[in-house]
Amino acid sequence: MRRPGAPASWIWWRMLRQVLRRGLQSFCHRLGLCVSRHPVFFLTVPAVLTITFGLSALNRFQPEGDLERLVAPSHSLAKIERSLASSLFPLDQSKSQLYSDLHTPGRYGRVILLSPTGDNILLQAEGILQTHRAVLEMKDGRNSFIGHQLGGVVEVPNSKDQRVKSARAIQITYYLQTYGSATQDLIGEKWENEFCKLIRKLQEEHQELQLYSLASFSLWRDFHKTSILARSKVLVSLVLILTTATLSSSMKDCLRSKPFLGLLGVLTVCISIITAAGIFFITDGKYNSTLLGIPFFAMGHGTKGVFELLSGWRRTKENLPFKDRIADAYSDVMVTYTMTSSLYFITFGMGASPFTNIEAVKVFCQNMCVSILLNYFYIFSFFGSCLVFAGQLEQNRYHSIFCCKIPSAEYLDRKPVWFQTVMSDGHQQTSHHETNPYQHHFIQHFLREHYNEWITNIYVKPFVVILYLIYASFSFMGCLQISDGANIINLLASDSPSVSYAMVQQKYFSNYSPVIGFYVYEPLEYWNSSVQDDLRRLCSGFTAVSWVEQYYQFLKVSNISANNKSDFISVLQSSFLKKPEFQHFRNDIIFSKAGDESNIIASRLYLVARTSRDKQKEVIEVLEKLRPLSLSKSIRFIVFNPSFVFMDHYSLSVTVPVLIAGFGVLLVLILTFFLVIHPLGNFWLILSVTSIELGVLGLMTLWNVDMDCISILCLIYTLNFAIDHCAPLLFTFVLATEHTRTQCIKSSLQEHGTAILQNVTSFLIGLVPLLFVPSNLTFTLFKCLLLTGGCTLLHCFVILPVFLTFFPPSKKHHKKKKRAKRKEREEIECIEIQENPDHVTTV
């Protein structure tokens, strides 16, 4: 019947929503019937897949060896600049001078020697020379001593030439000339291992100095070390989740308690993850430490489906056959779980798209997509089969733990109290009019009898509003302080030598930026005074090591005039570059000869910027200032340092995946605005997800978490985790037919609160062991996922139950419908009484 005043289009959309909803429910009902009729098949197929792919995973396991490929932006201008710089000035021509770290360094070893507090490292010359000689005498070195750098320098007061009074540390670098040969690379790898062992040995001999070593493989080794350190902690997490799921699925009622289903639900998610890992390694995937988050991400989504199916089973009628109860549970739960799994797949699929510029994020999202698909399949097949067997045991009145027949009440009366406690049904003495025995589950009982009344109390609501304002304020404040995490140290084991080395380097060698190569890649009229002025302006503000400036000084001191091309190049080649003190500049100039005439086709200078403690941020600013000048000035140049590969547009590269994922979620929710169960449900879902996402983003920033690849993956997961838990609660609320909003939210919490609380509690308890893994990567993972679970729990149980009682949807039309039905029923009864006055009692 059409409601007065309702437009025809609205009626059409409403009918379409009902058709789609009932169609999905019908499909899920049939799926449940199919699983209940063939449980052995749906139990066997996933088990066979896991055995097949799990064994393959063990045989094909291979770690990723290229750290730059994983965490540096895949498409960046810095990589193009590196290729151009390497083609102009090859690596083997740069090993003989001080600034060879302008290229990708290849194999190298670095050591920092730090004197005790208050001492001068310059007075420890004997220890420094002994260390230096010990490194040079190593076997198969093929090494080249490049140079040293002082740190913690104190200058002589009032010194015009900046004479050094004392220094706290010295850094020495040793490069290995491998020239890309595979054999020499293996020799270099062996040398680096021996180098690190030697530094540890020298540390024991020289107690007056602190030695910190770093080699080219150190970053990769300490990045992979996280996975080794986390192995035992992940197993502890699994045990904790298994225990929590088992206990939260238990009841005093030995017939209706389902502890084994909670246990089997977690194991179902585990075997789906193992299968996904097998598929990944079969397709030539290589493991890296960022994939450590997949078990926690998949567990958070998978166990939600497990607990929702258990709640759906509890809501079915006990007097139905167990097969029908399975089908009803599927039609009740799997529609929403299908929608949330689809959103998981869409968001992580967008993260795996070509738009993602970080390879580690792309690989993670690809694996997550496979895990979500297998997770969904295993939940409705493997776990559904387990639910079928558990339902059959319950229908036949078998004990939920011991799988034996539950004795009659007369038999139990003759037994001891402990036997009655273990074997008692708990509801045998109750009336047959018991509406739902499952309401005695301890979580459901707590929500129904205590929490629902408390959270909807009128005196509690003002404090909840104040709490949300505080939450929003801190979140907004954190969002204004977001910083990118281009520092590779954020992904390493916290107690590793690389982190120790980086901390000392940051403390004592942060006054200057890395050496920046300034490459002029086109012919230039260096003898022209205007060109000379342009070069000086470009290099102003930097400490420059320039053959051009040295040559100009040489001409000035020698009183030589070189105002034209021939004189300039002739004096440069025949006089300047042959001087011993200037011979190292030969590698910085590329000449070409056409007949008897020589030309300078390219050259390079070296720039060093003065920086503060926030060295990395200032280097990025220098890069962003110099690049536009290369396009606007007449001098065509590029600037490069190997660290630019990691810094180049890193903040944009890491934020793009979460922006794309967030846009995808909003787009899907908006496009389905008039196709879902209720459009207001989508509206509230968008608001809730946005609030949770911004809350996690702001709070993690206040918790000193940078925007690196791990935190970005956690933010993508936060979108889905929030939808996973808020969607069932909101859609149940908007469809509820109770008289008031308060009654509707109570009904929603009673229906879905148990599953939400079970899942979030298991999820958060499973994160605790990550806190004990000494790794920056796992610390970031722990912080972000803890905030994700905490903010979601806050919204589901505190914020939404209060705010939904203030705002639409209104429940007045449900009240009018019920009044109209009651009035119509009373009129029918009156008519029947008037027609049969002798049978009033029967009416």
Side-chain angles (χ1 to χ4, degrees):
M1 182 178 179
R2 180 174 171 178
R3 191 172 59 190
S9 59
W10 179 258
I11 301 297
W12 187 87
W13 281 115
R14 185 178 178 185
M15 291 174 61
L16 179 60
R17 290 199 306 269
Q18 290 177 351
V19 169
L20 288 175
R21 181 190 173 197
R22 290 174 182 173
L24 288 172
Q25 285 181 333
S26 176
F27 171 77
C28 293
H29 189 275
R30 292 177 182 177
L31 178 63
L33 281 177
C34 183
V35 173
S36 64
R37 290 168 182 169
H38 311 284
V40 177
F41 173 79
F42 284 100
L43 192 70
T44 306
V45 172
V48 171
L49 289 175
T50 300
I51 293 171
T52 304
F53 289 109
L55 293 175
S56 302
L58 294 175
N59 295 331
R60 293 174 175 263
F61 178 83
Q62 187 177 1
E64 176 63 65
D66 190 351
L67 188 59
E68 179 189 310
R69 174 179 171 271
L70 279 177
V71 299
S74 302
H75 308 288
S76 67
L77 189 58
K79 290 187 176 181
I80 300 174
E81 292 168 344
R82 179 175 62 185
S83 300
L84 179 58
S86 298
S87 64
L88 291 173
F89 301 95
L91 184 63
D92 57 346
Q93 296 181 12
S94 304
K95 290 295 185 183
S96 60
Q97 43 79 35
L98 181 61
Y99 303 100
S100 61
D101 57 351
L102 290 177
H103 299 270
T104 301
R107 296 288 181 183
Y108 66 89
R110 282 180 181 151
V111 59
I112 292 178
L113 295 93
L114 181 66
S115 63
T117 305
D119 287 0
N120 186 356
I121 192 69
L122 301 179
L123 301 178
Q124 304 283 348
E126 185 61 30
I128 296 172
L129 292 176
Q130 287 181 7
T131 302
H132 179 53
R133 282 194 294 267
V135 173
L136 294 180
E137 292 171 359
M138 289 173 61
K139 295 180 179 179
D140 295 326
R142 291 181 172 82
N143 55 325
S144 173
F145 167 61
I146 298 304
H148 55 268
Q149 182 181 2
L150 294 177
V153 175
V154 177
E155 297 178 355
V156 176
N158 303 322
S159 173
K160 295 182 179 180
D161 54 355
Q162 296 182 334
R163 295 176 59 188
V164 175
K165 179 182 179 182
S166 66
R168 179 76 194 282
I170 185 171
Q171 178 178 257
I172 307 176
T173 304
Y174 303 90
Y175 283 94
L176 297 149
Q177 298 179 355
T178 57
Y179 304 120
S181 169
T183 304
Q184 296 231 0
D185 189 66
L186 290 174
I187 296 174
E189 182 179 358
K190 181 180 178 182
W191 183 90
E192 288 182 346
N193 283 296
E194 294 297 326
F195 172 78
C196 293
K197 292 178 183 178
L198 176 64
I199 297 302
R200 287 194 293 268
K201 180 181 177 182
L202 292 173
Q203 175 66 81
E204 298 175 358
E205 297 176 359
H206 299 280
Q207 297 294 332
E208 71 279 4
L209 294 173
Q210 298 179 37
L211 277 66
Y212 301 90
S213 63
L214 182 76
S216 66
F217 74 93
S218 297
L219 294 177
W220 173 86
R221 177 197 61 197
D222 296 334
F223 174 69
H224 187 63
K225 185 180 179 181
T226 298
S227 299
I228 300 172
L229 294 172
R231 286 175 184 172
S232 59
K233 306 302 186 295
V234 171
L235 292 177
V236 174
S237 294
L238 176 59
V239 172
L240 290 175
I241 294 172
L242 284 169
T243 305
T244 307
T246 303
L247 294 177
S248 65
S249 302
S250 302
M251 296 173 61
K252 290 183 179 179
D253 187 339
C254 69
L255 177 65
R256 297 167 182 85
S257 179
K258 297 288 183 289
F260 283 138
L261 278 183
L263 182 73
L264 289 170
V266 176
L267 292 179
T268 300
V269 181
C270 290
I271 62 175
S272 71
I273 296 171
I274 293 172
T275 308
I279 294 174
F280 171 65
F281 290 120
I282 284 176
T283 55
D284 296 329
K286 294 183 179 180
Y287 177 81
N288 66 82
S289 292
T290 59
L291 299 179
L292 192 65
I294 285 185
F296 297 94
F297 285 23
M299 191 67 70
H301 175 59
T303 51
K304 180 61 168 56
V306 168
F307 292 127
E308 282 289 356
L309 270 177
L310 278 176
S311 294
W313 170 266
R314 295 189 187 105
R315 290 192 293 269
T316 58
K317 298 179 180 179
E318 277 195 308
N319 57 354
L320 292 175
F322 72 92
K323 293 183 180 179
D324 292 336
R325 293 182 68 184
I326 294 290
D328 289 345
Y330 269 59
S331 64
D332 184 22
V333 172
M334 292 304 291
V335 174
T336 305
Y337 190 66
T338 301
M339 184 192 78
T340 54
S341 297
S342 301
L343 287 176
Y344 268 91
F345 188 79
I346 290 171
T347 51
F348 282 103
M350 288 185 170
S353 66
F355 297 104
T356 301
N357 202 21
I358 303 293
E359 188 65 22
V361 176
K362 189 182 294 185
V363 171
F364 188 100
C365 290
Q366 289 171 353
N367 280 273
M368 196 63 195
C369 288
V370 177
S371 297
I372 291 299
L373 286 176
L374 290 172
N375 214 333
Y376 181 79
F377 171 71
Y378 274 62
I379 290 295
F380 82 74
S381 59
F382 189 88
F383 181 73
S385 300
C386 297
L387 187 59
V388 171
F389 292 123
Q392 192 171 6
L393 290 174
E394 181 179 330
Q395 180 174 295
N396 295 329
R397 296 190 56 79
Y398 278 86
H399 199 284
S400 60
I401 298 177
F402 304 118
C403 299
C404 61
K405 200 77 171 179
I406 297 177
S408 62
E410 294 78 10
Y411 180 81
L412 286 175
D413 290 338
R414 299 192 299 268
K415 294 295 180 180
V417 176
W418 67 267
F419 187 83
Q420 293 180 19
T421 304
V422 173
M423 301 298 295
S424 177
D425 183 349
H427 293 277
Q428 292 177 350
Q429 306 299 326
T430 60
S431 170
H432 291 291
H433 298 286
E434 175 73 51
T435 55
N436 186 2
Y438 290 103
Q439 289 184 355
H440 293 276
H441 186 279
F442 67 98
I443 297 178
Q444 202 160 2
H445 176 79
F446 168 75
L447 293 175
R448 184 182 68 254
E449 300 296 333
H450 304 286
Y451 185 78
N452 289 351
E453 296 296 332
W454 177 79
I455 195 63
T456 54
N457 190 303
I458 191 171
Y459 299 106
V460 175
K461 292 179 181 180
F463 294 99
V464 173
V465 174
I466 294 173
L467 175 65
Y468 183 74
L469 292 176
I470 296 173
Y471 165 84
S473 301
F474 277 95
S475 301
F476 181 73
M477 182 170 61
C479 290
L480 298 178
Q481 303 176 28
I482 296 174
S483 60
D484 66 77
N487 195 345
I488 193 67
I489 301 303
N490 293 336
L491 302 176
L492 305 183
S494 55
D495 61 348
S496 61
S498 299
V499 174
S500 302
Y501 182 93
M503 298 299 290
V504 174
Q505 189 181 50
Q506 175 67 20
K507 184 175 182 180
Y508 296 104
F509 298 90
S510 60
N511 293 331
Y512 292 94
S513 71
V515 178
I516 301 171
F518 184 95
Y519 298 85
V520 180
Y521 58 87
E522 289 185 354
L524 197 65
E525 296 179 353
Y526 295 96
W527 52 90
N528 193 317
S529 59
S530 62
V531 172
Q532 296 172 13
D533 292 338
D534 287 341
L535 282 173
R536 289 192 184 96
R537 278 194 294 269
L538 287 172
C539 297
S540 62
F542 296 93
T543 301
V545 178
S546 166
W547 69 269
V548 180
E549 283 298 321
Q550 294 289 335
Y551 185 46
Y552 295 154
Q553 290 294 329
F554 172 79
L555 293 174
K556 185 177 180 180
V557 171
S558 303
N559 197 20
I560 300 175
S561 175
N563 297 324
N564 55 61
K565 176 182 177 180
S566 58
D567 292 343
F568 187 90
I569 295 178
S570 175
V571 174
L572 177 65
Q573 289 181 317
S574 61
S575 181
F576 177 75
L577 294 179
K578 290 186 177 180
K579 295 279 185 180
E581 61 270 29
F582 302 128
Q583 283 183 356
H584 61 276
F585 286 129
R586 288 181 179 178
N587 293 325
D588 298 332
I589 308 171
I590 299 178
F591 294 96
S592 69
K593 197 165 185 179
D596 295 333
E597 188 179 62
S598 296
N599 296 297
I600 301 175
I601 60 173
S603 69
R604 67 178 171 185
L605 318 176
Y606 308 103
L607 307 178
V608 178
R610 185 89 179 184
T611 58
S612 63
R613 292 299 298 271
D614 197 356
K615 180 177 178 179
Q616 181 173 311
K617 184 178 179 181
E618 295 186 21
V619 171
I620 295 174
E621 291 176 355
V622 168
L623 177 62
E624 292 176 350
K625 288 179 181 178
L626 285 175
R627 274 185 178 162
L629 294 177
S630 67
L631 301 176
S632 60
K633 297 291 183 179
S634 58
I635 301 175
R636 298 300 178 190
F637 68 90
I638 59 171
V639 288
F640 178 72
N641 181 275
S643 61
F644 291 175
V645 174
F646 294 93
M647 300 177 185
D648 195 8
H649 297 296
Y650 185 86
S651 57
L652 178 63
S653 298
V654 296
T655 52
V656 162
V658 73
L659 292 176
I660 293 174
F663 175 76
V665 169
L666 292 177
L667 183 64
V668 169
L669 293 177
I670 292 171
L671 290 178
T672 59
F673 201 79
F674 297 103
L675 297 177
V676 294
I677 300 172
H678 197 290
L680 276 175
N682 263 23
F683 176 75
W684 273 106
L685 190 58
I686 291 172
L687 291 181
S688 303
V689 171
T690 304
S691 176
I692 294 173
E693 182 76 6
L694 294 178
V696 172
L697 177 60
L699 294 175
M700 80 177 195
T701 304
L702 295 178
W703 205 353
N704 298 323
V705 176
D706 296 330
M707 293 287 284
D708 55 23
C709 59
I710 295 297
S711 57
I712 284 300
L713 290 168
C714 291
L715 287 174
I716 297 176
Y717 181 68
T718 301
L719 288 170
N720 298 281
F721 194 83
I723 293 173
D724 221 350
H725 293 77
C726 294
L729 192 71
L730 289 169
F731 287 131
T732 302
F733 171 80
V734 297
L735 292 175
T737 57
E738 279 76 7
H739 290 177
T740 64
R741 296 191 187 101
T742 300
Q743 291 176 344
C744 290
I745 195 61
K746 287 180 180 179
S747 175
S748 301
L749 282 174
Q750 188 171 337
E751 189 169 328
H752 297 286
T754 302
I756 294 173
L757 193 58
Q758 281 178 302
N759 189 56
V760 176
T761 304
S762 302
F763 180 73
L764 294 179
I765 290 176
L767 295 177
V768 173
L770 289 181
L771 191 60
F772 301 96
V773 180
S775 171
N776 296 328
L777 188 151
T778 52
F779 287 161
T780 301
L781 192 65
F782 171 79
K783 291 177 181 179
C784 294
L785 294 185
L786 180 65
L787 291 173
T788 297
C791 291
T792 303
L793 196 66
L794 178 70
H795 279 73
C796 289
F797 283 94
V798 179
I799 295 171
L800 286 178
V802 171
F803 278 63
L804 287 174
T805 59
F806 299 152
F807 302 105
S810 174
K811 300 298 178 180
K812 290 182 179 180
H813 63 279
H814 293 302
K815 195 182 299 183
K816 291 178 181 178
K817 285 182 180 179
K818 290 194 174 184
R819 286 177 180 173
K821 287 182 180 179
R822 191 182 305 113
K823 185 177 180 180
E824 184 179 354
R825 193 185 311 114
E826 291 173 355
E827 290 176 354
I828 293 172
E829 290 178 356
C830 290
I831 292 171
E832 291 180 355
I833 291 171
Q834 290 175 1
E835 292 178 352
N836 302 289
D838 298 332
H839 299 85
V840 175
T841 55
T842 60
V843 177

